[in-house]
Coordinates of all heavy atoms in Angstrom, one line a residue:
S148 N -37.3 102.1 -52.6 CA -38.2 103.2 -53.0 C -39.0 103.6 -51.9 O -39.7 102.8 -51.2 CB -39.1 102.6 -54.1 OG -40.2 103.5 -54.4
I149 N -39.0 104.9 -51.6 CA -39.8 105.5 -50.5 C -41.3 105.4 -50.8 O -42.1 105.0 -50.0 CB -39.3 106.9 -50.1 CG1 -37.9 106.9 -49.6 CG2 -40.3 107.6 -49.2 CD1 -37.3 108.2 -49.3
T150 N -41.6 105.8 -52.1 CA -43.0 105.8 -52.5 C -43.6 104.4 -52.5 O -44.7 104.2 -52.1 CB -43.0 106.3 -54.0 OG1 -42.5 107.6 -54.0 CG2 -44.5 106.4 -54.4
D151 N -42.8 103.4 -52.8 CA -43.3 102.0 -53.0 C -43.4 101.2 -51.7 O -43.9 100.1 -51.7 CB -42.5 101.3 -54.0 CG -43.1 99.9 -54.4 OD1 -44.2 99.9 -55.0 OD2 -42.5 98.9 -54.0
N152 N -42.9 101.8 -50.6 CA -42.8 101.1 -49.3 C -44.1 100.9 -48.7 O -44.6 101.9 -48.1 CB -41.8 101.7 -48.4 CG -41.6 101.0 -47.1 OD1 -42.1 99.9 -46.9 ND2 -40.8 101.5 -46.2
G153 N -44.7 99.8 -48.8 CA -46.0 99.5 -48.1 C -46.0 98.5 -47.0 O -47.0 98.2 -46.4
F154 N -44.8 97.9 -46.8 CA -44.7 96.8 -45.8 C -43.8 97.2 -44.6 O -44.0 96.5 -43.5 CB -44.1 95.6 -46.5 CG -45.0 95.0 -47.6 CD1 -44.8 95.3 -48.9 CD2 -46.0 94.2 -47.2 CE1 -45.6 94.8 -49.9 CE2 -46.9 93.7 -48.2 CZ -46.6 94.0 -49.5
G155 N -42.9 98.1 -44.7 CA -42.0 98.5 -43.6 C -41.0 97.4 -43.4 O -40.8 96.5 -44.2
G156 N -40.4 97.4 -42.2 CA -39.3 96.5 -41.9 C -38.0 96.7 -42.7 O -37.9 97.6 -43.4
W157 N -37.1 95.8 -42.5 CA -35.8 95.9 -43.2 C -35.2 97.3 -43.2 O -34.8 97.8 -44.2 CB -36.0 95.4 -44.7 CG -36.2 93.9 -44.9 CD1 -36.9 93.1 -44.0 CD2 -35.8 93.1 -46.0 NE1 -36.9 91.8 -44.4 CE2 -36.3 91.8 -45.7 CE3 -35.2 93.4 -47.1 CZ2 -36.1 90.7 -46.5 CZ3 -35.0 92.3 -48.0 CH2 -35.4 91.0 -47.7
Y158 N -35.2 97.8 -42.0 CA -34.8 99.2 -41.8 C -33.4 99.6 -42.4 O -33.3 100.6 -43.2 CB -34.8 99.6 -40.3 CG -36.2 99.8 -39.7 CD1 -36.8 98.7 -39.2 CD2 -36.8 101.0 -39.7 CE1 -38.1 98.8 -38.6 CE2 -38.0 101.2 -39.2 CZ -38.7 100.1 -38.6 OH -40.0 100.3 -38.1
A159 N -32.4 98.8 -42.1 CA -31.1 99.2 -42.5 C -31.0 99.1 -44.1 O -30.4 100.0 -44.7 CB -30.0 98.3 -41.9
Y160 N -31.5 98.0 -44.6 CA -31.4 97.8 -46.1 C -32.2 98.8 -46.8 O -31.7 99.4 -47.8 CB -31.8 96.3 -46.4 CG -31.5 95.9 -47.8 CD1 -30.2 95.7 -48.2 CD2 -32.5 95.7 -48.8 CE1 -29.9 95.3 -49.5 CE2 -32.2 95.3 -50.0 CZ -30.9 95.1 -50.4 OH -30.6 94.7 -51.7
R161 N -33.4 99.0 -46.5 CA -34.3 99.9 -47.1 C -33.7 101.3 -47.1 O -33.6 102.0 -48.1 CB -35.7 100.0 -46.5 CG -36.6 98.8 -46.9 CD -38.0 99.0 -46.3 NE -38.9 97.9 -46.5 CZ -39.7 97.8 -47.5 NH1 -39.6 98.6 -48.5 NH2 -40.5 96.8 -47.6
S162 N -33.3 101.7 -45.9 CA -32.8 103.1 -45.7 C -31.5 103.3 -46.5 O -31.3 104.4 -47.1 CB -32.5 103.4 -44.2 OG -33.7 103.3 -43.5
S163 N -30.6 102.3 -46.5 CA -29.3 102.5 -47.2 C -29.5 102.5 -48.7 O -28.8 103.2 -49.4 CB -28.3 101.4 -46.8 OG -28.9 100.1 -47.0
K164 N -30.5 101.7 -49.2 CA -30.8 101.7 -50.6 C -31.5 103.0 -51.0 O -31.2 103.5 -52.1 CB -31.6 100.5 -51.0 CG -30.8 99.2 -51.0 CD -29.7 99.2 -52.1 CE -29.1 97.8 -52.2 NZ -28.1 97.7 -53.2
A165 N -32.3 103.6 -50.1 CA -32.9 104.9 -50.4 C -31.8 105.9 -50.5 O -31.8 106.9 -51.3 CB -33.9 105.2 -49.3
A166 N -30.8 105.8 -49.6 CA -29.7 106.7 -49.6 C -28.9 106.6 -50.9 O -28.4 107.6 -51.5 CB -28.8 106.5 -48.4
L167 N -28.7 105.4 -51.3 CA -28.0 105.1 -52.6 C -28.8 105.8 -53.7 O -28.2 106.5 -54.6 CB -27.9 103.6 -52.9 CG -27.3 103.2 -54.2 CD1 -25.9 103.6 -54.4 CD2 -27.5 101.7 -54.4
N168 N -30.1 105.7 -53.7 CA -30.9 106.4 -54.8 C -30.7 107.9 -54.7 O -30.6 108.5 -55.8 CB -32.4 106.0 -54.6 CG -32.7 104.6 -55.0 OD1 -31.9 104.0 -55.7 ND2 -33.8 104.1 -54.6
M169 N -30.6 108.5 -53.5 CA -30.4 109.9 -53.4 C -29.0 110.3 -54.0 O -28.8 111.3 -54.6 CB -30.6 110.4 -52.0 CG -30.4 111.9 -51.8 SD -31.6 112.8 -52.8 CE -33.0 112.7 -51.8
L170 N -28.0 109.5 -53.7 CA -26.7 109.7 -54.3 C -26.7 109.7 -55.8 O -26.1 110.6 -56.4 CB -25.7 108.7 -53.8 CG -25.2 108.8 -52.4 CD1 -24.4 107.6 -51.9 CD2 -24.2 110.0 -52.3
V171 N -27.5 108.8 -56.4 CA -27.6 108.7 -57.8 C -28.3 110.0 -58.3 O -27.8 110.6 -59.3 CB -28.4 107.5 -58.2 CG1 -28.8 107.6 -59.7 CG2 -27.6 106.2 -58.0
R172 N -29.3 110.4 -57.7 CA -30.0 111.7 -58.1 C -29.1 112.9 -58.0 O -29.0 113.7 -58.9 CB -31.3 111.9 -57.2 CG -32.4 110.9 -57.5 CD -33.0 111.2 -58.8 NE -33.9 112.4 -58.8 CZ -34.6 112.8 -59.9 NH1 -34.5 112.2 -61.0 NH2 -35.3 113.9 -59.8
N173 N -28.3 113.0 -56.9 CA -27.4 114.0 -56.8 C -26.3 114.0 -57.9 O -26.0 115.0 -58.5 CB -26.6 114.0 -55.4 CG -27.3 114.9 -54.4 OD1 -28.5 115.2 -54.4 ND2 -26.5 115.2 -53.4
L174 N -25.8 112.8 -58.1 CA -24.7 112.7 -59.2 C -25.3 112.9 -60.6 O -24.6 113.4 -61.4 CB -24.1 111.3 -59.1 CG -23.2 111.1 -57.9 CD1 -22.7 109.6 -57.8 CD2 -22.0 112.0 -57.9
S175 N -26.6 112.6 -60.7 CA -27.2 112.8 -62.0 C -27.3 114.3 -62.3 O -27.5 114.7 -63.5 CB -28.6 112.2 -62.1 OG -29.5 112.9 -61.3
I176 N -27.2 115.2 -61.3 CA -27.3 116.6 -61.5 C -25.9 117.2 -61.7 O -25.6 118.0 -62.6 CB -28.0 117.3 -60.3 CG1 -29.4 116.9 -60.2 CG2 -27.8 118.8 -60.4 CD1 -30.1 117.3 -58.9
E177 N -24.9 116.7 -60.9 CA -23.6 117.3 -60.9 C -22.7 116.7 -62.0 O -22.0 117.5 -62.7 CB -22.9 117.0 -59.6 CG -21.4 117.6 -59.5 CD -20.8 117.5 -58.2 OE1 -21.4 117.0 -57.2 OE2 -19.6 117.8 -58.1
L178 N -22.7 115.4 -62.2 CA -21.8 114.8 -63.2 C -22.0 115.3 -64.6 O -21.0 115.5 -65.3 CB -21.9 113.3 -63.1 CG -21.3 112.6 -61.9 CD1 -21.4 111.1 -61.9 CD2 -19.8 113.0 -61.7
P179 N -23.2 115.5 -65.1 CA -23.3 116.0 -66.5 C -22.8 117.4 -66.7 O -22.4 117.7 -67.8 CB -24.9 116.0 -66.7 CG -25.4 114.9 -65.8 CD -24.5 115.0 -64.6
R180 N -22.7 118.1 -65.6 CA -22.1 119.5 -65.7 C -20.6 119.4 -65.9 O -20.0 120.2 -66.5 CB -22.4 120.3 -64.4 CG -23.9 120.6 -64.2 CD -24.1 121.2 -62.9 NE -25.5 121.5 -62.6 CZ -26.0 121.8 -61.4 NH1 -25.2 121.8 -60.3 NH2 -27.3 122.1 -61.3
R181 N -20.0 118.3 -65.3 CA -18.6 118.2 -65.3 C -18.0 117.1 -66.2 O -16.8 117.2 -66.6 CB -18.1 117.9 -63.8 CG -18.6 118.8 -62.8 CD -18.3 118.4 -61.4 NE -16.8 118.5 -61.2 CZ -16.2 118.1 -60.0 NH1 -17.0 117.7 -59.0 NH2 -14.9 118.2 -59.9
C182 N -18.8 116.2 -66.6 CA -18.4 115.0 -67.4 C -19.3 114.7 -68.6 O -19.4 113.6 -69.0 CB -18.3 113.8 -66.5 SG -17.4 114.0 -65.0
K183 N -20.0 115.7 -69.1 CA -20.9 115.5 -70.2 C -20.1 115.0 -71.4 O -19.0 115.4 -71.7 CB -21.5 116.9 -70.6 CG -22.6 116.8 -71.6 CD -23.2 118.2 -71.8 CE -24.4 118.1 -72.8 NZ -25.0 119.4 -73.0
P184 N -20.8 114.0 -72.2 CA -22.1 113.4 -72.0 C -22.1 112.2 -71.0 O -21.2 111.4 -71.1 CB -22.5 113.0 -73.4 CG -21.1 112.6 -74.0 CD -20.1 113.6 -73.4
L185 N -23.1 112.1 -70.2 CA -23.2 111.1 -69.2 C -24.6 110.8 -68.8 O -25.4 111.7 -68.8 CB -22.3 111.5 -68.0 CG -22.3 110.6 -66.8 CD1 -20.9 110.7 -66.1 CD2 -23.3 111.0 -65.7
A186 N -24.9 109.6 -68.4 CA -26.2 109.3 -67.7 C -25.9 108.5 -66.5 O -25.1 107.5 -66.5 CB -27.0 108.4 -68.7
C187 N -26.5 108.9 -65.4 CA -26.3 108.2 -64.1 C -27.7 107.7 -63.7 O -28.6 108.5 -63.6 CB -25.8 109.2 -63.0 SG -25.4 108.5 -61.4
V188 N -27.8 106.4 -63.4 CA -29.1 105.8 -63.1 C -29.0 104.8 -62.0 O -27.9 104.3 -61.7 CB -29.6 105.1 -64.4 CG1 -29.8 106.0 -65.5 CG2 -28.6 103.9 -64.8
S189 N -30.1 104.6 -61.3 CA -30.3 103.5 -60.4 C -31.0 102.3 -61.1 O -31.9 102.5 -61.9 CB -31.2 103.9 -59.2 OG -30.4 104.7 -58.3
L190 N -30.6 101.1 -60.8 CA -31.2 99.9 -61.5 C -31.7 98.9 -60.4 O -30.9 98.7 -59.4 CB -30.1 99.2 -62.3 CG -29.5 100.0 -63.5 CD1 -28.5 99.1 -64.2 CD2 -30.6 100.5 -64.5
H191 N -32.9 98.5 -60.6 CA -33.4 97.4 -59.7 C -33.2 96.1 -60.4 O -33.6 95.9 -61.6 CB -34.9 97.6 -59.5 CG -35.6 96.4 -58.9 ND1 -35.2 95.8 -57.7 CD2 -36.7 95.7 -59.3 CE1 -36.0 94.8 -57.4 NE2 -36.9 94.7 -58.4
S192 N -32.4 95.2 -59.8 CA -32.0 93.9 -60.5 C -33.0 92.9 -60.5 O -32.9 91.9 -61.3 CB -30.8 93.4 -59.7 OG -31.0 93.1 -58.4
G193 N -34.1 93.0 -59.7 CA -35.0 91.9 -59.5 C -34.5 90.9 -58.5 O -33.3 91.0 -58.1
T194 N -35.3 89.9 -58.1 CA -34.8 88.9 -57.2 C -33.9 87.9 -57.8 O -34.3 87.4 -58.9 CB -36.1 88.2 -56.5 OG1 -37.0 89.2 -56.0 CG2 -35.6 87.3 -55.4
T195 N -32.8 87.7 -57.2 CA -31.7 86.9 -57.9 C -31.2 85.8 -56.9 O -31.1 86.1 -55.7 CB -30.5 87.8 -58.3 OG1 -31.0 88.9 -59.1 CG2 -29.5 87.0 -59.0
E196 N -31.0 84.7 -57.5 CA -30.4 83.6 -56.6 C -29.0 84.0 -56.3 O -28.1 84.1 -57.1 CB -30.3 82.3 -57.5 CG -31.7 81.7 -57.8 CD -31.6 80.5 -58.8 OE1 -30.4 80.2 -59.1 OE2 -32.6 80.0 -59.1

Side-chain angles (χ1 to χ4, degrees):
S148 167
I149 294 175
T150 303
D151 189 65
N152 184 2
F154 295 98
W157 290 31
Y158 283 91
Y160 190 70
R161 284 185 185 274
S162 299
S163 57
K164 287 295 188 178
L167 175 64
N168 286 344
M169 182 58 80
L170 282 167
V171 168
R172 288 290 285 179
N173 264 24
L174 289 174
S175 74
I176 295 169
E177 180 175 355
L178 288 181
R180 297 171 180 167
R181 306 176 65 181
C182 307
K183 187 177 182 178
L185 178 144
C187 184
V188 297
S189 281
L190 300 178
H191 168 55
S192 59
T194 306
T195 304
E196 295 174 0

